[in-house]
C-alpha cells in the first residue's frame, strides 16, 4: 500500500472546493484503500493555522475546521518525527 503525506494546500483545496481532480483522487483512493494517509503533529498544526487565515473565514465555519482536522487525523497514520530533522528555511540566502 502506498503511504502518502498530502501537502497542506492540497488538503485546503480538497476541503474548500471538493472538485476534481483533487477530490476525485483523494476520495477514490481512500475508498479503495489504495493509499494510507500519513501525517505528523507539525503538519496538523500547519493545517490548523492555515485554516484560520482571515481570507478563509468566509468559506469555513469554526466547527467545519475542527471536524476536518479531526477527520484528517483519524484517517491518517500520525507519525512522530525525529528530533533531528532540520528546519526548512524559505530564506534564499540559506
Amino acid at each position: 500500500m502506498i503511504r502518502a503525506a498530502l501537502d497542506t494546500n492540497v488538503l485546503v483545496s480538497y476541503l474548500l472546493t471538493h472538485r476534481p481532480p483533487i477530490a476525485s483522487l483523494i476520495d477514490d483512493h481512500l475508498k479503495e484503500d489504495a493509499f494510507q494517509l500519513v501525517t505528523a503533529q507539525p503538519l496538523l498544526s500547519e493545517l490548523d493555522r492555515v485554516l484560520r487565515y482571515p481570507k478563509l473565514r468566509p468559506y469555513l465555519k469554526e466547527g467545519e475546521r475542527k471536524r476536518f482536522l479531526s477527520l484528517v487525523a483519524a484517517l491518517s497514520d500520525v507519525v512522530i518525527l525525529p528530533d533531528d530533522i532540520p528546519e526548512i528555511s524559505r530564506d534564499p540566502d540559506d
Side-chain angles (χ1 to χ4, degrees), residues 19-91:
R19 292 191 315 241
I22 293 171
S24 300
L25 175 74
I26 294 173
D27 290 343
D28 293 347
H29 283 78
L30 283 176
K31 181 175 61 178
E32 296 171 11
D33 287 330
F35 68 82
Q36 169 65 53
L37 289 176
V38 179
T39 194
Q41 191 54 53
L43 294 172
L44 291 170
S45 296
E46 177 186 13
L47 179 59
D48 185 33
R49 179 180 54 80
V50 169
L51 291 176
R52 292 173 186 264
Y53 284 172
K55 66 182 178 182
L56 297 182
R57 286 189 189 137
Y59 309 103
L60 187 65
K61 296 178 183 164
E62 179 69 9
E64 292 170 321
R65 180 189 61 78
K66 289 179 181 179
R67 282 191 300 277
F68 187 67
L69 287 167
S70 295
L71 180 65
V72 170
L75 291 175
S76 298
D77 180 8
V78 181
V79 299
I80 298 173
L81 299 176
D83 292 332
D84 59 350
I85 294 178
E87 291 286 326
I88 296 174
S89 173
R90 296 183 192 273
D91 185 347

Side-chain angles (χ1 to χ4, degrees), residues 4-17:
L6 299 181
D7 181 79
T8 298
N9 292 323
V10 171
L11 292 171
V12 171
S13 178
Y14 174 81
L15 174 63
L16 296 180
T17 64

